[in-house]
Amino acid sequence: ARLDQNYVYHFDAISLSEIVQRSVEHARNKYPNAKISVQLDSSDKTINGDETAIETILDNLIDNGIKYGGDNPHVMVQTSYVNNEYLLSVADNGIGISEKESAYVFDKFYRIGNEETRTTKGTGLGLYICKTIVEAHNGSIKISKHSPKGSKVLIKLPVHKTPSHV
């Protein structure tokens, strides 16, 4: 509701690596039996972003990866720097998302499956919120298959540019 009512973002130069590490630590405390791997880019770049909003994205994606990861969930969080963009991916070893349904997962209230067969709780708002935040940061988000099984969410965010001195 806050996003739909013109949430005011507070953009600053922020470290994506620090936010990833904080979100992963939070998830490890919340889900001690889940395996969460991290691979961070070594560059010292920042993004122009709202720290709380970016953390919301990561918390949501890691939670989803664990919720849909089956009996032995494994979530892999990676960052890389390519062509003046940060790539952030969160992959899981769950059941995956069909190509047909991947077109709808970012829609408000959309949930995969049907009410009779669904075993996980949710509102269908998490990926919608992620997409809204990513777009507010001039980024993009998509879902692809993860090999050998599961899903991978890939986010592209522009790197913060230091103003040039005249």
Side-chain angles (χ1 to χ4, degrees), residues 40-137:
L40 299 175
D41 185 83
S42 60
S43 67
D44 193 20
K45 305 287 185 191
T46 59
I47 63 169
N48 187 31
D50 182 305
E51 192 166 336
T52 302
I54 298 296
E55 198 164 339
T56 297
I57 292 171
L58 279 156
D59 290 346
N60 193 313
L61 295 178
I62 294 169
D63 277 355
N64 279 354
I66 293 169
K67 272 190 342 191
Y68 297 103
D71 293 335
N72 297 306
H74 179 199
V75 175
M76 176 66 163
V77 182
Q78 292 179 289
T79 64
S80 58
Y81 174 69
V82 179
N83 297 329
N84 212 29
E85 290 182 311
Y86 256 126
L87 304 180
L88 168 65
S89 70
V90 180
D92 65 56
N93 66 333
I95 58 171
I97 299 171
S98 73
E99 192 173 320
K100 176 185 170 194
E101 291 197 289
S102 67
Y104 303 104
V105 294
F106 295 108
D107 293 349
K108 192 187 288 190
F109 302 117
Y110 185 81
R111 295 194 65 214
I112 292 175
N114 62 52
E115 292 300 324
E116 289 88 38
T117 61
R118 203 175 288 129
T119 58
T120 56
K121 294 179 180 181
T123 60
L125 288 172
L127 291 176
Y128 166 77
I129 290 169
C130 290
K131 180 181 181 213
T132 302
I133 294 170
V134 167
E135 288 175 348
H137 285 77

Side-chain angles (χ1 to χ4, degrees), residues 15-23 40 51:
S15 167
L16 188 58
S17 295
E18 288 176 17
I19 297 170
V20 167
Q21 290 170 337
R22 216 173 27 244
S23 289
L40 299 175
E51 192 166 336

